[in-house]
Amino acid sequence: MIILGIESSCDETAAAVVKDGRILLSNVIASQISTHTKYGGVVPEIASRKHIEAIVQVVRQALEEAHTDIEEIDAIGVTYGPGLVGPLLVGVSYAKAYAYGCGKRLIGVHHIEGHVSANYIDNKELEPPFMCLIVSGGHTHLVNVTDYGEYEILGRTMDDAAGEAYDKVARAIGLGYPGGPKIDAEAKKGDPEAIAFPRAHIDGDEYDFSFSGLKSAVLNYLNSCEMRGETVIREDVAASFQAAVVDVLVGNSMKAVDKYGAKKFAIAGGVASNTALRDAMGQACDKRGMSFYRPSPILCTDNGAMIASAAYYRALRNGYAGLALNAVPGLKLGETI
Ligand code: KG4
Ligand code: ZN
């Protein structure tokens, strides 16, 4: 089964062609990062307009690079939530029109389910059940993937998402948008033990996360340096902040692994491309003799391939959508409409 996957929930217009949920035939991503950088973050209205400008060309290129004609496509999968409503509407409207015009079946995909499914493309042997930490710009979820498209949520963030914390701290230390990759690079030059930033633990909810206190601690540290006339060593702040994030992500994950006796662990989402997180989680899994899975960095951040893979497993369960499919900005994981 060959599926065209379309993703436009935030600032990437992406399309890809994937065979049987696992074999990547093409993966085209038009990033809007350079446009949003000057505003320090994604401007939703500008993002919507940029998606409209790019989507036809991105889909055309995805089909071309896959050497696939639209006739050979069995279904079109599209992200319908969660995300920014304007950007989502561009992808959903385009996919509906294309499916209707070409007589293809349509599948609505949950963006986070897409992130999880990126693992199926790069780890051909991975099958549920497994535990997965999803860390992106908008979400931080620790889940048991009990079957394809079935999740038991163990923990989530109480405030900022991990990627959001990266982006906010990067802005505060003058690294700009998007913060994740910039802090990742800067941290390599710094000392992760230079500053003891807090590791938040939520009483009674040991698998939940909180990153807003850490963000405030970084801001307080920067203010107190300024008041005392001390120079801020940016690479040390980046490395110490990142160490605190990674400690909590790995710590909570391993607590859940031990409690639930998980045998396989996967990471997903934009922050899963972080080198320190990949190393630390890999080591923690090795120590427990568990298999550790992660997508290649290009499939961690938003892309159409992960949407096509998730769509395939929905299609196997007859999870087709009608033309009434709409964008659902606040769509919850495990919720289908
Ligand atoms: O999954 P994604 O592309 O979009 C959402 O669904 O939100 O994730 C984007 C987030 C941004 O916050 C970005 O700063 C973060 O992922 N990110 C990283 C890295 N690359 C992207 N965070 C830490 N280290 C990275 N290397
Ligand atoms: Zn995403």
Side-chain angles (χ1 to χ4, degrees):
M1 185 177 220
I2 299 181
I3 295 190
L4 168 68
I6 297 175
E7 155 63 36
S8 70
S9 66
C10 189
D11 59 347
E12 260 103 26
T13 319
V17 179
V18 175
K19 190 175 171 199
D20 295 336
R22 302 261 177 177
I23 302 159
L24 188 63
L25 301 183
S26 68
N27 188 31
V28 178
I29 304 166
S31 172
Q32 305 176 0
I33 282 177
S34 57
T35 306
H36 298 292
T37 298
K38 47 182 175 292
Y39 305 102
V42 179
V43 184
E45 183 54 29
I46 296 177
S48 310
R49 285 162 197 259
K50 287 268 161 198
H51 284 305
I52 293 173
E53 285 168 21
I55 197 157
V56 174
Q57 185 52 36
V58 166
V59 169
R60 217 171 262 171
Q61 198 179 329
L63 291 172
E64 260 170 43
E65 287 183 14
H67 305 292
T68 311
D69 211 63
I70 185 70
E71 270 76 64
E72 296 167 75
I73 298 288
D74 294 297
I76 299 173
V78 64
T79 307
Y80 73 109
L84 301 169
V85 68
L88 283 169
L89 271 173
V90 177
V92 169
S93 310
Y94 182 87
K96 287 200 307 193
Y98 206 23
Y100 179 66
C102 301
K104 302 292 171 187
R105 299 224 263 182
L106 184 68
I107 303 153
V109 174
H110 190 292
H111 183 74
I112 299 302
E113 186 163 315
H115 275 303
V116 173
S117 306
N119 274 291
Y120 300 138
I121 298 171
D122 278 335
N123 306 289
K124 305 278 186 261
E125 73 285 13
L126 176 64
E127 286 186 28
F130 59 92
M131 193 177 281
C132 187
L133 174 73
I134 306 131
V135 267
S136 72
H139 304 270
T140 304
H141 278 90
L142 182 61
V143 303
N144 268 327
V145 181
T146 50
D147 199 349
Y148 292 102
E150 307 267 329
Y151 309 91
E152 180 194 355
I153 298 176
L154 307 175
R156 55 160 66 93
T157 183
M158 298 284 101
D159 38 58
D160 291 351
E164 197 178 348
Y166 266 94
D167 294 335
K168 287 177 177 170
V169 167
R171 200 175 312 152
I173 59 175
L175 286 173
Y177 177 83
K182 293 190 171 163
I183 290 191
D184 196 348
E186 193 76 4
K188 291 199 168 75
K189 300 179 266 169
D191 174 6
E193 289 172 8
I195 311 146
F197 287 132
R199 275 74 170 151
H201 294 286
I202 317 277
D203 279 346
D205 280 306
E206 48 187 343
Y207 313 126
D208 283 339
F209 304 91
S210 166
F211 295 107
S212 73
L214 172 59
K215 177 197 66 194
S216 305
V218 174
L219 296 178
N220 289 341
Y221 174 82
L222 297 174
N223 284 338
S224 67
C225 283
E226 197 184 327
M227 274 169 6
R228 287 199 296 257
E230 291 170 11
T231 351
V232 171
I233 304 173
R234 192 158 76 172
E235 51 270 37
D236 282 350
V237 178
S240 302
F241 159 76
Q242 178 161 278
V245 174
V246 170
D247 258 11
V248 171
L249 292 176
V250 175
N252 286 12
S253 300
M254 291 304 124
K255 256 190 262 166
V257 159
D258 293 341
K259 164 89 191 293
Y260 289 87
K263 302 271 182 296
K264 297 181 261 181
F265 195 90
I267 53 173
V271 184
S273 63
N274 183 266
T275 48
L277 177 64
R278 292 165 88 87
D279 288 351
M281 199 67 92
Q283 281 167 20
C285 289
D286 275 358
K287 222 157 86 187
R288 287 165 172 78
M290 292 170 71
S291 312
F292 174 56
Y293 302 91
R294 67 257 188 252
S296 52
I298 191 68
L299 292 187
C300 285
T301 43
D302 291 349
N303 63 83
M306 67 186 201
I307 302 306
S309 175
Y312 170 76
Y313 289 104
R314 287 230 154 251
L316 291 187
R317 296 162 161 239
N318 214 18
Y320 292 101
L323 289 175
L325 183 72
N326 203 354
V328 184
L331 187 65
K332 302 268 180 302
L333 190 62
E335 183 181 69
T336 44
I337 287 179

